[in-house]
Amino acid sequence: TAIDKRSAIWNTAKSTGVTVECNYPNQADMRAFITREFTKRQKKIPASLVDKILSEAEPNMYAMLNLIDTVCAYLQDTET
């Protein structure tokens, strides 16, 4: 949820260290991420399959990378 930037903890952390806000990626960012990761592995994936992955996979970046690695290993020398 939203951060209360008026709190003493936030102000102390900001003055003594580095504060970083990490937002969850939206659908467009996740589509680009999946396509980019397949491209890094010299694989192509249709947009319809990217949407299927997004609808069925866990909404977790680590799980998503594991799924991409698994699919790429299954494809072996096949490009698509």
Side-chain angles (χ1 to χ4, degrees):
T1 60
I3 299 170
D4 183 9
K5 294 183 181 178
R6 300 170 294 164
S7 69
I9 293 174
W10 176 265
N11 291 328
T12 303
K14 190 173 180 179
S15 64
T16 59
V18 176
T19 56
V20 178
E21 292 184 54
C22 299
N23 297 322
Y24 287 102
N26 59 26
Q27 291 287 341
D29 292 339
M30 287 303 294
R31 281 187 189 91
F33 171 76
I34 292 169
T35 304
R36 186 173 52 249
E37 290 299 317
F38 273 100
T39 303
K40 283 182 189 176
R41 293 162 177 80
Q42 290 84 37
K43 306 293 182 195
K44 293 181 182 177
I45 183 166
S48 61
L49 290 180
V50 172
D51 291 336
K52 184 169 178 68
I53 288 173
L54 285 173
S55 67
E56 295 182 8
E58 290 182 46
N60 174 325
M61 297 297 280
Y62 181 73
M64 195 66 65
L65 281 174
N66 282 337
L67 177 66
I68 291 168
D69 286 337
T70 302
V71 171
C72 289
Y74 177 77
L75 291 173
Q76 294 179 356
D77 294 333
T78 309
E79 187 178 285
T80 304

